[in-house]
Structure formats: structure tokens, C-alpha cells
Amino acid sequence: MAGAGAAGLVAALAAADRGRRVLLLERDAATPSTLALSGGLIAAAGTRWQEEPDSPALFAADIRAKSGDAVDPLLLEAVTHGAAEALAFLDPILPLHLHTGLRWPGHSAMRLHATPAESGAELQALLRQAVARHPGIAFRDGVAVTALLPGVAGVEADGRIEAGAVILATGGFGGAPDLVARFCPEAAAAVHVGGTLSDGAALRWAEALGAEFRCLDSWQGQPHVSPHLVGRERPRFGGALPALGAILVNRLGRRFVAEDMGPSELTPHLLAQPGGTAVEIWGEAAHRAALAGGPFRHAVACGAVAACADVPALAARFALPPAALAETLAAMGRQPDGFGRQSWGHPLVPPFYAAEVTGALAHTQGGVRVDGAGRVLRPDATAIPRLFAAGGVACGVSGHGAAGYVPGNGLAQSFALGVRAGRAA
């Protein structure tokens, strides 16, 4: 298996659980993966952790409502059923719970699952510990896969490594600016906050074998990311803030969008503002609630969040026009809202918390077409023998552009296809 992010780790565990010998190759485990940089939320329907009614069918309907008919029905079935299957398989390994902090846009039920800290870094660490404990898995770090052997009889990686099957789980192409500009031009101006090793290499190998690609213009946007580096890190504030009552204002101190839309579709609106930045503002109650999210806690610890006693202090801290900002804040919560916002969350009252934010590209969502077992398919729907894909290499369920992504659906695909590809391989 190539790649030890979400899909690769889960696939390795699933294959080894079937009694197979697994070699898991990772290019550089010290470089943060897209999983480690995520919020660690996994969408799954019909699990033992859920109390309200939910099902794969309802999950699929929610995806279709966002993505239309762009998602392959076979893939949709595999992800919406397979995500719950994957969490059931991992139940003895991971201390999972249902995230109940808020109902995220695009989900008609509470179906996001996480480990205790609700952090991608924690989720990755727990999965890697499980891999390290399994006697059937050999994990090799610092090994870069450079090519597939003829007939997919293995891979080239510090020499020939032969295998009965190969699972590609090296991520998408968010770390390849040329491919982003070609396929996701809307995201070309966004900072990339996913794994830097997601360079699209596996897509090029699959292309040479005649694989079909779908929805290459699909990407996940994150509109709650600092435009500034703190040391070598770029703090991220998580996507929960708008649902908790946060607003966005541009450099004129004015709102410009309905902030309660999905975070991914919000990203292009933010990038369209002067300088591609805005100031996100929230109150004390929202601040306390947002601390449940691992990325937000880390951003606060990094000093990326400012506390301001009142409107003048807030305006001075971010060089915003005081009168315009005061007028904007005084209008909060009024209906009808000029931008169509429906949900206001906690009242926005002093003291204020705020941070400068920009739009970011978390990861791409398009990739090779696969069947329900993760087999890589050609345009005629025949499978390329012995070749499987999951995670960012494979097409996701977000349709086209940024608007189809719903929080947790990226890891839903990685976990569902990871388990199914591991078992099938």
C-alpha cells in the first residue's frame, strides 16, 4: 500500500484482518498528512453511536441534494453504506463518539464521528498505533513509491517490491499547483493547508494505465484559515464558528455573504474579497463552544485569536472603519437578512473574539473512478487488474467545484473505500 494517511492506514488494517501480509509504504511520516491537518470528523449513517434516526439512504439523499447527479451511484452506495461498516470494523480499535456540538450544513442528521479530542492528528496517531501493533503489517517510513511495476505486479520504491495487489492512497493533488491551476482554477489563489505530499503522483501512474477520472474540478475549501504563519504553522479555526454565531466582515467593516452556508462553498466568496481576506468575529459563548474542536484549540494556543473588549478595540486591532463596523454589528440577528442568512447561533455581544482569515484549499475531491470495492476502473467500466484506490486518489462524493463538499464526507470516503479496498485486495 502506498500512503499512510486515512485511507492507507484503514486499508492496511482491513487487509491484515483478512490474514494477508501487508507492506505499508510512507514517503515521510514526519510531514503532516491531510488527515493529521484535518478536524478528524467522519460522516457515517446508521451507527451505534447515533440516537436520532439515520440511514445510508438519508445520507445519500443529503449528498445528492448538494452534488446533484454528479456522483456515480455505485460510489455513492459504497460510501454511504461503507462508512458505517468501516466504523463498526474500527470500533474495537478507536475510542469513537458522536460529535454533537452542532448540526453542520448539508447533514440532516447528527452523523459526524470523532475520537476524544476531535482532532485529525489524534485520529492519525491512534490508527498508526493500531498498525504498529498488528503483526501482519510491516510499516516502512521514508520510502517513496516512484512507479507501478508492469502489470501492477508491485511498485518501484528503492528497487522492485512485488505484491499481489497495490492500493494507491497517496492523497489528491492539492500540493501540485500546476494540477490545481489546470483542474481547479477557482482554488488557484487559495493557500493549501492539506498534506504537502499530495502531489498527484498516483493519478499520473493510473492515467498511464488507462484509468478513468471523474470530477477533477472538485475541491474542499476552508474559509477559516489564518493568512499568516505562526512559526511554520498556519492556524486554522475550524468550520464551527458561523453556526455558533460568528460573522465575516471585509476591510470596509461590512458583511459580504451568508456565513451559515457550507464552509467549502463559502471559501470562494472569501477569496473574492479585497486581498482575499476577512475578519471573523464571534462572542464569548461561541468561543467556549468552539474549544471542543482540536484545530480551534490549537489556533488559540498559537495566539492567532484576539480578544477585544468592545467595538473600538476590535476596529483598532484589525484596522477596520469604526463607524461601519459598529453599524454592521448593530444589525446582527435581524430578519430578513440581506444575504439570506438563516441561523444566527449565539448572540454577538462584547467581549468579542476575532481573527483574520483567508480561503484555503484543504484537499482535492476528484480522482480515479473506482467500483464499490475500490478497484480502479477504465472508461469502459472494466477494472485494471490488481489496482485499487481510496482517499484523495479516488473520486469522492462532492460532485463538481467547492459547493458539493459537506464536512466529514472526505473521511467518509477514505474510511469506506479504505476498508473495502483492503478486503478486496
Side-chain angles (χ1 to χ4, degrees):
M1 287 172 202
L9 291 165
V10 171
L13 290 166
D17 184 64
R18 292 292 173 93
R20 298 301 186 263
R21 295 174 57 208
V22 177
L23 177 59
L24 179 58
L25 305 177
E26 173 56 46
R27 192 161 145 192
D28 183 4
T31 299
S33 68
T34 298
L35 169 61
L37 294 167
S38 76
L41 299 177
I42 311 150
T47 72
R48 73 170 184 84
W49 296 273
Q50 294 175 282
E51 296 182 357
E52 63 181 327
D54 195 14
S55 67
L58 184 57
F59 189 9
D62 287 346
I63 291 173
R64 284 194 296 269
K66 291 285 288 183
S67 303
D69 296 327
V71 180
D72 183 339
L74 192 64
L75 175 64
L76 185 63
E77 188 279 337
V79 172
T80 54
H81 286 79
E85 295 168 5
L87 293 193
F89 166 66
L90 294 167
D91 192 2
I93 299 171
L94 297 178
L96 292 164
H97 70 271
L98 186 69
H99 167 84
T100 57
L102 62 130
R103 190 182 298 275
W104 291 79
H107 289 297
S108 60
M110 293 286 194
R111 63 169 66 105
L112 296 183
H113 300 71
T115 50
E118 299 196 356
S119 156
E122 177 191 60
L123 178 56
Q124 176 177 276
L126 291 169
L127 286 171
R128 287 190 175 176
Q129 289 167 17
V131 163
R133 291 193 300 266
H134 203 296
I137 303 174
F139 177 74
R140 290 179 59 188
D141 185 22
V143 179
V145 175
T146 56
L148 298 174
L149 294 180
V152 196
V155 298
E156 288 282 355
D158 289 345
R160 291 172 56 91
I161 299 177
E162 296 183 355
V166 175
I167 299 177
L168 300 176
T170 57
F173 56 89
D178 61 324
L179 296 180
V180 172
R182 178 182 173 188
F183 296 114
C184 305
E186 191 180 39
V191 295
H192 178 226
V193 293
T196 57
L197 299 182
S198 297
D199 58 6
L203 300 180
R204 303 177 202 270
W205 307 332
E207 182 180 28
L209 294 175
E212 180 181 358
F213 292 86
R214 291 197 170 181
C215 299
L216 289 177
D217 62 334
S218 183
W219 58 288
Q220 180 204 350
Q222 286 194 2
H224 311 285
V225 174
S226 175
H228 311 293
L229 291 173
V230 177
R232 298 177 62 183
E233 296 185 42
R234 188 180 300 278
R236 297 178 300 134
F237 308 99
L241 287 171
L244 296 172
I247 66 166
L248 290 165
V249 299
N250 58 22
R251 289 299 166 190
L252 300 178
R254 303 292 188 185
R255 290 177 59 228
F256 53 89
V257 72
E259 298 91 344
D260 60 341
M261 69 172 61
S264 187
E265 61 203 275
L266 177 59
T267 303
H269 293 275
L270 175 50
L271 289 170
Q273 296 308 300
T277 64
V279 177
E280 190 155 24
I281 306 166
W282 61 97
E284 180 72 39
H287 188 77
R288 290 196 302 269
L291 286 170
F296 183 82
R297 288 196 307 274
H298 188 66
V300 172
C302 287
V305 173
C308 303
D310 51 28
V311 174
L314 181 62
R317 172 64 178 78
F318 293 96
L320 300 173
L325 180 61
E327 182 180 345
T328 296
L329 292 173
M332 289 303 92
R334 293 179 185 171
Q335 291 287 16
D337 176 62
F339 297 98
R341 181 166 178 164
Q342 299 296 315
S343 173
W344 290 97
H346 298 290
L348 191 55
V349 295
F352 300 110
Y353 293 84
E356 190 176 9
V357 294
T358 189
L361 164 63
H363 52 88
T364 53
Q365 290 284 298
V368 298
R369 180 188 174 197
V370 298
D371 68 8
R375 297 180 182 88
V376 178
L377 302 179
R378 304 182 182 94
D380 64 0
T382 60
I384 298 173
R386 295 185 292 279
L387 186 63
F388 299 77
V393 178
C395 182
V397 294
S398 299
H400 297 286
Y405 182 84
V406 179
N409 282 5
L411 284 181
Q413 187 262 48
S414 292
F415 274 51
L417 291 184
V419 166
R420 291 192 171 197
R423 289 173 172 171

